[in-house]
């Protein structure tokens, strides 16, 4: 027994793994284990605190985000149809804008088309109505002219308000003219010239006795003025069509609030 003990001690001394620098390979230090366990506990506590700090509203929003993305990536049938019609309207309006600038296919006729558009402008019609009202001497004529003046003023205010709400620009980047700024006709939807000529043509057809050729020419004039606004690139096709609709509705509004002869005489005397 005494001889075997020195032999085992010698084997332990000769064993390389028993040296101090290699002890960590056999048994990890307690300090490292404690630090690792403490870091794990801290990370777990931080995750639990973060989970508790998130409110139920934020959790619902995070759960709803994928659904919102799916809704944006899958538009409805109405949205697809509306965007398709809008694209067709823009494409057709650009094709019909043959007088949008001097370099266009019909650029040489731009001045004549602009002149046709001026016949449907509000300023010349208001000025002409005032001149005729001053020179008129009959009660019936003054009544018609006063209601016509009311219709023209309502048309300018209604179209200007609708254009400010829509703020739709035309198919081409064309700056409005001086007369357009005076009547606040600076945007595309709805077309002010189209609403005005539709209202005027319907007004004259109802309150003036005209021969059939003149009635046909009046309707053709309204259509040509509306088409001219598309040809010079100021309005889309839908802008002109909506202008015709609003012009008819304005005429119906004037018919509902039609001023009598006595009211017109009172206003004329004040003026």
């Amino acid at each position: 027994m005494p001889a075997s003990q020195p032999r085992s001690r010698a084997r332990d001394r000769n064993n390389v793994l028993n040296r101090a620098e290699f002890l960590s390979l056999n048994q990890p230090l307690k300090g490292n284990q404690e630090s690792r366990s403490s870091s794990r506990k801290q990370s777990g506590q931080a995750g639990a605190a973060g989970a508790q700090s998130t409110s139920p509203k934020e959790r619902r929003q995070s759960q709803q985000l994928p659904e919102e993305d799916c809704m944006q990536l899958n538009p409805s049938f109405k949205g697809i149809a509306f965007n398709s019609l809008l694209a067709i309207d823009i494409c057709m309006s650009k094709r019909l804008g043959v007088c949008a600038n001097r370099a266009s296919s019909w650029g040489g006729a731009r001045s004549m088309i602009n002149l046709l558009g001026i016949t449907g402008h509000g300023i010349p019609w208001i000025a002409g109505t005032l001149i005729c009202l001053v020179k008129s001497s009959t009660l019936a004529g003054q009544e018609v002219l006063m209601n016509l003046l009311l219709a023209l003023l309502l048309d300018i205010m209604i179209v200007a308000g609708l254009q400010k709400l829509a703020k739709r620009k035309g198919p081409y980047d064309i700056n409005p003219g001086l007369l357009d700024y005076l009547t606040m006709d600076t945007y595309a939807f709805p077309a002010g010239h189209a609403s005005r000529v539709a209202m005027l043509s319907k007004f004259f057809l109802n309150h003036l006795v005209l021969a059939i050729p003149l009635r046909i020419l009046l309707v053709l004039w309204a259509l040509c003025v509306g088409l001219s606004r598309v040809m010079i690139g100021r309005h889309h096709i839908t802008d002109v069509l909506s202008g015709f609709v609003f012009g008819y509705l304005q005429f119906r509004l004037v018919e509902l609030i039609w001023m009598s002869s006595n009211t017109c005489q009172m206003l004329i005397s004040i003026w």
Side-chain angles (χ1 to χ4, degrees), residues 43-60:
S43 63
Q45 291 176 358
Q52 291 177 359
S53 63
T54 56
S55 61
K57 184 177 180 181
E58 293 178 353
R59 292 176 185 173
R60 287 196 298 269

Side-chain angles (χ1 to χ4, degrees), residues 49-200:
Q52 291 177 359
S53 63
T54 56
S55 61
K57 184 177 180 181
E58 293 178 353
R59 292 176 185 173
R60 287 196 298 269
Q61 288 179 354
S62 63
Q63 292 175 358
Q64 290 176 359
L65 283 177
E67 296 179 1
E68 293 176 358
D69 294 339
C70 293
M71 290 175 66
Q72 292 177 359
L73 293 174
N74 298 304
S76 63
F77 175 76
K78 292 182 179 179
I80 295 173
F82 178 76
N83 291 331
S84 300
L85 292 175
L86 188 63
I88 294 172
D89 178 35
I90 295 173
C91 180
M92 294 298 296
S93 300
K94 284 185 175 292
R95 286 178 177 272
L96 289 176
V98 293
C99 301
N101 47 57
R102 294 293 180 183
S104 301
S105 57
W106 289 18
R110 181 176 172 82
S111 300
M112 184 176 64
I113 299 299
N114 278 326
L115 183 61
L116 179 61
I118 291 175
T119 61
H121 205 280
I123 297 298
W125 277 100
I126 291 175
T129 304
L130 289 173
I131 293 172
C132 293
L133 186 60
V134 170
K135 293 185 176 182
S136 178
S137 58
T138 61
L139 295 178
Q142 292 175 355
E143 179 182 351
V144 172
L145 290 171
M146 281 296 296
N147 284 279
L148 177 59
L149 182 62
L150 174 64
L152 291 170
L153 295 176
L154 283 176
D155 173 75
I156 290 176
M157 291 188 292
I158 292 173
V159 171
L162 291 172
Q163 287 186 358
K164 291 295 183 182
L165 290 175
K167 291 185 178 180
R168 187 188 188 188
K169 295 184 178 180
Y172 291 90
D173 190 11
I174 298 175
N175 295 324
L178 178 61
L179 294 177
D180 296 328
Y181 281 110
L182 291 176
T183 55
M184 296 174 289
D185 187 10
T186 56
Y187 290 100
F189 180 87
H193 288 66
S195 67
R196 195 169 300 111
V197 295
M199 184 268 297
L200 288 172

